[in-house]
Amino acid sequence: MNLPVNLSGTGRRVLISGASRGLGRALARAFAENGDRVAVHYGSREEDARATLDSLAGEGHVLVGGDLSDPAGAADVAGRAAEALGGIDVLVNNAAVNQPHPLADTPYEEWAALWQRHVSVNLLATANLSHLAARRMIDQGTGGRIVNIGSRGAFRGEPDHPAYGAT
């Protein structure tokens, strides 16, 4: 079912990755208060995500868990969100990992694994979800918006979290 989309008002179908707490929770609440229906994504914090979902104004919101570090997991999250909402009009890429790995204290094998994890979630999941949402927006013929959340770490560096700053 394709619902009419008003990108400047209410009624949008919004997928927010990493919406279990913090900025993702605040964004979910803001979209819901605007009359939008929100797919609240979480990777590992299901209880926190349920608290976000329970705090949303309005109706029609959905909880969508899944591992975005895997392309198939990202496709599953986008697909379940689109199915539950009837499409996607807005994607907010907010999910990220930020695990410490200071050079002086981190063995190489752990260092390499942490870099892979950061790149998989913070960079590639953003690209994958963006493609999946944009393709749906094109196919729906409605257009839409994709918002990518960044971090000050990209501009100031993160000595104990270099992969986070880079991604």
Side-chain angles (χ1 to χ4, degrees):
M1 167 168 97
N2 283 335
L3 301 174
V5 178
N6 178 355
L7 294 175
S8 63
T10 62
R12 295 169 294 191
R13 302 160 296 182
V14 182
L15 168 57
I16 302 175
S17 70
S20 60
R21 61 191 183 114
L23 181 59
R25 177 179 283 170
L27 289 167
R29 286 177 176 163
F31 277 106
E33 287 171 9
N34 191 47
D36 300 316
R37 291 181 298 129
V38 179
V40 174
H41 165 262
Y42 70 93
S44 60
R45 293 184 168 97
E46 182 176 358
E47 187 174 317
D48 291 337
R50 286 194 185 283
T52 298
L53 183 69
D54 292 343
S55 74
L56 299 183
E59 297 179 353
H61 311 298
V62 62
L63 190 66
V64 182
D67 181 5
L68 299 178
S69 68
D70 173 52
D76 181 60
V77 166
R80 287 186 290 127
E83 183 177 328
L85 298 174
I88 297 173
D89 302 308
V90 178
L91 166 65
V92 178
N93 283 305
N94 180 64
V97 295
N98 184 8
Q99 298 170 299
H101 50 284
L103 179 63
D105 303 326
T106 308
Y108 177 71
E109 292 78 17
E110 182 181 345
W111 171 271
L114 285 167
W115 268 87
Q116 278 298 135
R117 176 87 175 133
H118 282 77
V119 168
S120 293
V121 174
N122 302 1
L123 176 61
L124 295 177
T126 296
N128 292 337
L129 283 177
S130 294
H131 179 278
L132 293 160
R135 186 72 253 164
R136 279 185 166 76
M137 293 170 189
I138 291 167
D139 293 344
Q140 291 167 180
T142 59
R145 301 288 187 267
I146 297 175
V147 179
N148 297 314
I149 304 298
S151 168
R152 66 185 178 149
F155 302 102
R156 70 177 193 141
E158 296 288 341
D160 291 337
H161 308 255
Y164 179 75
T167 58

